[in-house]
Amino acid sequence: MEDEPGVTLRRERGGLQGIDRLVRIFEAVAAGPAPLSKIASESGLSDATTLRYLGSLVSHGLLERDPDSRLYRMGMRMFLLGRSAIGGRDFMAVATSAMAQLVDQIDETVNFGARVGVDLVIVHVLESSQPIRMGAAVGDKDRWHSSGLGKAILSTLPAEEIRTLLTEHGMAELTPRTLITPEDLLRDLARARTRGFATDDEESVEGLRCAAVPIRDARGTARYALSVSAPAYRLPHSRLMEVGEALRAQGEVLEALLDHAPAGPRAGAAR
């Protein structure tokens, strides 16, 4: 016999409530190993209710409980499920989605660059809705020493490799703000590493400012970089940290996918 409509609705609501609770528990544990009390507090549940959920998740291998510290952490089954989710995604499609989210959030042009041998190539650009837009075109080669994309990748490399690339391409003075000595650039790259993102402070084009992050693979090699570029008056220094944090958040997603993706984007690929 079928349930009455009201009974079915209550069951659906109860099931959805259970899913919401599970999500909050996973989010609490995702930050790092945590005790029952912290998980309960962050998920908004009582200790008793949280303990019931945790016991079930541990039994399914989705969470683990350390018998000595009594802390809960993500289980191996969750790791395997995560790898399955990653393996089914196309890297460039996710990169495009990340870029679109940045455009929606910041409303400035977003660029994606790739290292191709000794060159830095723009492989994708999403423009903002702003009437004045400043950015490169797909297929363009960007400068290592002055662009945000170039400096983001350089910031992950050893000094010897940086000097080799600079010797190959030179350090042309493109604006009065361009860094034209390896020593000045190395100091700027050190600041980028500390800050978490690189900047092009009107160093490539007067009036253009840019923030960028490297996209590293599992070996720590930066094959790609992601940037936001805008007229300097719309991207003042006071806004760079906000933009840098947004870039880092999307960059972390792309780094998680990179080693499980199909072949990467080709230089000059169509938008």
Side-chain angles (χ1 to χ4, degrees):
M1 189 171 76
E2 292 186 1
D3 290 330
E4 293 292 327
V7 173
T8 300
L9 183 59
R10 285 195 296 274
R11 286 181 176 173
E12 289 179 352
R13 286 175 176 170
L16 292 175
Q17 182 186 53
I19 293 171
D20 289 340
R21 289 175 173 179
L22 287 172
V23 170
R24 294 201 299 271
I25 288 171
F26 281 131
E27 288 176 342
V29 179
L36 167 64
S37 58
K38 181 180 179 182
I39 298 170
S41 174
E42 294 190 3
S43 58
L45 302 172
S46 68
D47 284 1
T49 299
T50 303
L51 186 59
R52 287 198 299 273
Y53 277 97
L54 291 174
S56 180
L57 292 169
V58 169
S59 71
H60 287 288
L62 296 170
L63 295 181
E64 296 174 355
R65 180 178 180 270
D66 187 290
D68 296 322
S69 67
R70 299 183 179 181
L71 300 181
Y72 291 87
R73 64 184 179 189
M74 289 296 184
M76 186 56 65
R77 189 175 181 188
M78 181 64 76
F79 171 74
L80 295 173
L81 290 172
R83 286 193 63 178
S84 296
I86 288 173
R89 294 181 181 267
D90 175 78
F91 177 70
M92 202 57 209
V94 177
T96 300
S97 175
M99 293 170 70
Q101 290 183 53
L102 286 167
V103 171
D104 288 343
Q105 181 179 353
I106 300 170
D107 198 19
E108 298 294 353
T109 297
V110 179
N111 313 283
F112 193 78
R115 180 177 179 178
V116 182
V118 296
D119 293 324
L120 173 62
V121 180
I122 305 297
V123 296
H124 202 20
V125 176
L126 288 184
E127 295 182 339
S128 73
S129 63
Q130 300 280 6
I132 299 176
R133 299 185 290 270
M134 302 179 72
V138 170
D140 283 355
K141 291 183 180 180
D142 221 345
R143 300 274 187 168
W144 286 110
H145 72 294
S146 60
S147 70
L149 292 172
K151 291 202 285 183
I153 293 177
L154 290 183
S155 71
T156 70
L157 301 178
E160 184 176 324
E161 189 172 353
I162 294 171
R163 291 181 184 275
T164 298
L165 285 171
L166 296 178
T167 299
E168 178 78 23
H169 287 273
M171 299 184 70
E173 186 173 0
L174 305 173
T175 77
R177 301 182 67 90
T178 307
L179 303 177
I180 57 173
T181 70
E183 290 71 26
D184 285 342
L185 180 59
L186 288 170
R187 282 191 288 271
D188 186 62
L189 296 177
R191 290 191 290 271
R193 285 189 288 272
T194 299
R195 192 170 48 224
F197 60 92
T199 60
D200 167 1
D201 191 9
E202 301 187 67
E203 297 160 52
S204 297
V205 177
E206 288 192 71
L208 174 69
R209 188 166 288 134
C210 175
V213 294
I215 309 297
R216 303 175 182 85
D217 61 22
R219 295 175 297 278
T221 302
R223 296 159 54 187
Y224 308 107
L226 184 67
S227 75
V228 168
S229 58
Y233 70 89
R234 284 207 312 259
L235 189 54
H237 293 108
S238 59
R239 197 184 177 203
L240 280 176
M241 190 58 68
E242 169 204 344
V243 172
E245 288 298 322
L247 281 164
R248 287 174 62 184
Q250 296 298 339
E252 288 173 1
V253 172
L254 296 180
E255 287 183 341
L257 290 168
L258 189 54
D259 262 18
H260 302 274
R266 292 166 291 138
R271 277 191 261 179

